[in-house]
């Protein structure tokens, strides 16, 4: 058996693992590359494999860096099943259709520039038609049950605690009379994250592909983070200010809503207006509210007691651009969650433009801010910024809340690995830059005597 990495090898995007055996052939995840100079170029091609021989695609979760190249795979001729959990299927549709929208907007601007300089217009990577073909191939899988996905290859999916529907995948592969077990951790969530159950570890494998995004550190504790968040909200309420939270639509927004609801419920905060100003986040929230079977015990308790519904009742969902603009004329205090998560596009820009110059405004950064983004400049303390060609003074308070990551920190990664370590698997550290995977690899080597493989793009691992 051979496993080839066509992404997330030395970086954190573009996940795609091609598993080839004598009889079967599957691809685990197929995401786009994000950030960095040539990301767009690398995302234009599907993994270079023979699609007429591919039996199935298996998805760990819906994030674009795990699903974004699926329409290209379909375009390349693939028309067999794509297996995913029911929640991942719904999220994948949402994510891919949104990606078509974002792409066509970006392309319009790019092509205007290209045409002006005498170049020809560039075609889109894919459109809604290819996304519909992907939707047509998506097949639901149960949790914790072994199912056959190709000749000689069985798959079992278990909770990964990262976003709704996310799983780790175990493959049992029969070849030449023996069975080998391959585990893909997928993106692992931290222990104790809101709403979702904790990641479920494995006890046995011949080879493990372990994510290493935060292999070098632990996040700030959730308790500290929430206390800090409540302080910021109290300040805003006392000063009648607006709190602006640039947030990723899937996962982060729902976590925030949950924590705010819990704070209302415990009366640590008095109720005030919360707006979700992002059509995609609103759709994702609906999917979260639908799949209550995936909630952890604490979320179930809030749900069953009716409190979650009551405490979320003052959350207002802002659908149209007109409603979004109307918020400019509503006085604070209020909290607005809007995309994009790194302030590089979306409705958050309008809110920043209208409110950044006011000292009573608070901007709360809850996620990673890529280099060169407006969010990064705010975090780094810029005193003026430019939005839509207009210079804006930054007098607002800028806060960075560290503990809301959807990824396991170093301690949680090692706890997950500790359960499988006694089976002495080969370890491949994927989905991590050197900054994350080298320190994690050193600890695994010291603690367990297993030297992990740190792969590069295109590397093939023989089992
Ligand atoms: Zn993810």
């Amino acid at each position: 058996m051979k496993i080839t990495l066509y992404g997330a090898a030395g970086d954190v995007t573009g996940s795609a693992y091609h598993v080839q055996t004598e009889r079967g052939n599957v691809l685990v995840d197929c995401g786009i590359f994000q950030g960095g100079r040539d990301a767009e170029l690398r995302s234009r091609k599907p993994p270079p494999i023979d699609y007429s021989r591919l039996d199935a695609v298996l998805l760990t979760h819906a994030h674009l860096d795990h699903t974004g190249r699926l329409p290209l795979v379909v375009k390349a001729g693939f028309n067999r099943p794509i297996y995913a959990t029911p929640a991942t299927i719904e999220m994948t549709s949402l994510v891919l259709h949104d990606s078509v929208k974002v792409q066509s907007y970006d392309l319009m601007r790019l092509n205007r520039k290209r045409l002006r300089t005498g170049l020809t217009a560039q075609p889109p990577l894919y459109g809604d038609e290819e996304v519909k073909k992907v939707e047509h191939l998506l097949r639901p899988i149960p949790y914790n049950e072994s199912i056959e996905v190709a000749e000689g290859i069985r798959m079992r999916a278990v909770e990964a605690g990262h976003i709704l529907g996310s799983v780790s995948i175990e493959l049992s592969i029969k070849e030449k009379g023996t069975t080998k077990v391959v585990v893909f951790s997928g993106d692992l969530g931290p222990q104790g994250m809101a709403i979702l159950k904790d990641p479920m570890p494995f006890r046995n494998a011949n080879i493990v592909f372990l994510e290493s995004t935060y292999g070098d550190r632990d996040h700030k504790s959730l308790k500290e983070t929430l206390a800090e968040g409540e302080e910021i909200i109290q300040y805003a309420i006392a000063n009648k200010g607006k709190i602006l939270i640039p947030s990723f639509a899937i996962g982060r927004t729902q976590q925030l809503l949950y924590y705010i609801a819990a704070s209302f419920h415990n009366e640590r905060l008095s109720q005030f207006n919360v707006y979700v100003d992002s059509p995609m986040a609103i759709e994702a929230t609906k999917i979260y509210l639908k799949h209550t079977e995936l909630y952890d015990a604490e979320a179930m308790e809030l749900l069953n007691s009716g409190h979650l519904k009551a405490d979320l009742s003052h959350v207002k969902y802002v659908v149209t651009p007109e409603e979004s603009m109307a918020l400019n004329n509503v006085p604070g205090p209020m909290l607005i969650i809007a995309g994009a998560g790194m302030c590089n596009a979306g409705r958050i820009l309008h809110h920043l433009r209208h409110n950044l110059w006011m000292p009573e405004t608070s901007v709360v950064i809850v996620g990673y801010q890529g280099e060169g983004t407006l969010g990064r400049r705010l975090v780094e303390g810029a005193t003026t910024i430019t939005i839509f060609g207009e210079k804006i003074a930054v007098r607002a308070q800028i806060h960075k809340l560290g503990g809301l990551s959807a990824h396991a920190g170093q301690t949680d990664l090692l706890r997950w690995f500790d359960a499988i370590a006694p089976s002495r698997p080969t370890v491949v550290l994927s989905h991590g830059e050197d900054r994350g995977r080298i320190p994690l690899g050193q600890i695994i080597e010291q603690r367990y005597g297993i030297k992990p493989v740190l792969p590069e793009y295109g590397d093939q691992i023989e089992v």
Side-chain angles (χ1 to χ4, degrees), residues 155-425:
M155 157 193 198
R156 190 169 68 96
V158 307
E159 180 61 58
H162 170 61
I163 61 165
L164 194 81
S166 66
V167 290
S168 302
I169 289 176
E170 174 196 81
L171 298 181
S172 298
I173 296 173
K174 242 188 209 163
E175 215 177 18
K176 293 177 189 140
T178 61
T179 300
K180 294 253 161 72
V181 178
V182 185
V183 167
F184 298 90
S185 71
D187 289 4
L188 293 171
Q191 299 262 328
M193 190 171 67
I195 311 171
L196 302 179
K197 292 171 197 145
D198 287 341
M200 198 157 116
F202 295 84
R203 313 231 159 257
N204 175 47
N206 295 94
I207 178 164
V208 178
F209 290 81
L210 174 60
E211 75 122 315
S212 52
T213 317
Y214 291 105
D216 58 331
R217 63 192 132 135
D218 282 325
H219 306 296
K220 198 184 225 177
S221 85
L222 187 60
K223 209 173 148 198
E224 257 175 88
T225 303
L226 294 182
E228 210 181 320
E230 283 169 5
E231 228 171 82
I232 295 166
I233 292 176
Q234 276 151 0
Y235 172 89
I237 291 175
N239 294 284
K240 299 196 166 42
K242 290 184 181 175
I243 304 169
L244 308 179
I245 308 188
S247 180
F248 299 93
I250 295 182
R252 205 70 52 98
T253 296
Q254 293 75 32
Q255 267 189 74
L256 285 169
L257 290 178
Y258 180 87
Y259 289 129
I260 292 166
S263 292
F264 288 154
H265 176 59
N266 299 327
E267 292 175 356
R268 289 195 304 268
L269 287 177
S270 44
Q271 304 214 349
F272 72 117
N273 284 332
V274 175
Y275 296 88
V276 178
D277 188 7
S278 152
M280 188 175 174
I282 294 169
E283 287 310 309
T285 303
K286 282 184 199 160
I287 301 174
Y288 263 79
L289 288 170
K290 185 174 150 192
H291 286 279
T292 54
E293 78 281 6
L294 299 175
Y295 288 13
D296 65 6
E298 190 194 88
M300 270 327 275
E301 205 185 297
L302 262 186
L303 180 79
N304 288 336
S305 64
H307 288 301
L308 192 61
K309 211 172 162 203
D311 291 321
L312 284 175
S313 62
H314 48 268
V315 174
K316 297 179 173 55
Y317 297 98
V318 184
V319 180
T320 67
E322 291 75 27
E323 289 173 300
S324 173
M325 274 187 280
L327 288 181
N328 293 330
N329 305 320
V330 181
M334 69 167 73
L335 186 150
I336 302 173
I337 301 172
M342 298 191 201
C343 309
N344 44 340
R347 293 182 182 178
I348 193 70
L349 288 177
H350 296 275
H351 297 302
L352 289 170
R353 178 175 165 223
H354 277 95
N355 297 290
L356 265 183
W357 59 276
M358 290 189 258
E360 64 268 30
T361 300
S362 303
V363 179
V364 184
I365 302 289
V366 294
Y368 177 77
Q369 304 296 308
E371 234 169 281
T373 59
L374 179 58
R376 175 71 79 96
R377 285 209 293 286
L378 288 175
V379 170
E380 285 172 350
T383 50
T384 56
I385 53 157
T386 307
I387 300 177
F388 305 128
E390 195 179 329
K391 239 186 191 174
I392 314 278
V394 182
R395 296 220 181 82
Q397 321 230 350
I398 311 291
H399 303 272
K400 199 167 176 293
L401 277 193
L404 295 176
S405 176
H407 279 275
Q410 189 187 64
T411 304
D412 285 342
L413 287 172
L414 288 165
R415 185 179 298 146
W416 185 92
F417 181 72
D418 196 57
I420 207 169
S423 66
R424 312 284 309 157

Side-chain angles (χ1 to χ4, degrees), residues 61 63 65-66 162-163 187 407 431:
H61 65 290
H63 275 149
D65 63 319
H66 294 256
H162 170 61
I163 61 165
D187 289 4
H407 279 275
H431 203 287

